[in-house]
Amino acid sequence: MTKEVLVVGGGPAGLAAAHSLASAGVPVTLVEKTDILGGAPIHSGYAKLVPSGEWAKDAIGGMVKRVQDNPSIKTLLGTTVKSFDGSPGDFTAKLSNGAEVKSAATILCTGFTHFDSINKPEWGFGLFPDVVTTSQVEQMISSGKGVRRPSNGEKPKRVAILLCVGSRDRQIGREWCSKVCCTVSANMAMEIREELPDCHVYIYYMDIRTFGLYEEFYWDSQEEHKVKYIKARIAEVTSDGDKVIVKGEDTLVKRPITIPFDMVVHAIGMDPNVDNFLIGSTFGIDLHHWGFLKRENAYGVAGATSRPGVFVAGAAIGPETIDDSIAQGQSAAMSVLGMMHAGASLTAAE
């Protein structure tokens, strides 16, 4: 049995999987299609992570350095897998750089794609400069320049955050909850209030899903930071030339509401990786009917897919938190180690 393992994707799940395997003495080739490691938290310039409050560049940056400094991990940037053949213990991957990797198994940590708000045109993104996404606000905060109106560079005095943009929306084919948006938005609202204490922040929601211990972000945002929550059905986002106007219905009191804002923020959901159909074809695995990579036998072998020897972890299987993506990367690594040990024992017995 080949001793090396191929990890595809250099985000939190892939970094965790690669480090776990290398720590167990297994050599790893880590393939990342972009020119930097770190996945969405680094590529999209995330600010402070929840629940730890650490800056993404520090928390995920530490994971990147740990992998880069490990002599048992070979990292190939700007590289993709073109073909993947063989069976557990004896796979051959042909890469876009012309190289071949012989591996006992592979772990797919290929992540997700942020929802493109252009697909929700009635909510103003792409039409009005002061309608932005949570990713853009994260970049404003992490840059150190602060939250500013793109139209004129001024500090906003009233901000709306619209939840479920690209999530739980059958009309545009996004039926799933993206899991993290409620908590991220509550945290972002608090960050805006801390930077701009005179700014009023409103969160428009269908339901609040700050699950588990994240519920404290929901309460803290209201009680400590005075963020206002409006349960509403939004009809459209327009502009009067200066302010951005959110029109809709307050579904608690059953009346129409129209409020002008300096900025409107789309809390964008998590879409399947745009490359998933190609990834599924290349590695010979099934996809979930919503387009994510399909996980099999979750209560037996962690991270198993429809193809033996091919495992999956993180947001490749659906919307996921960074913490859980890391845990799944480590779990998939344990599954690989178990498979390799079983294979080695079988070989020895023969």
Side-chain angles (χ1 to χ4, degrees), residues 71-86:
S72 295
I73 304 173
K74 179 181 180 181
T75 302
L76 299 175
L77 301 178
T79 305
T80 58
V81 177
K82 292 301 184 183
S83 66
F84 186 79
D85 301 302

Side-chain angles (χ1 to χ4, degrees), residues 91 137 212 236 240 322 327:
F91 289 114
V137 176
E236 62 176 345
D240 63 5
I322 292 175

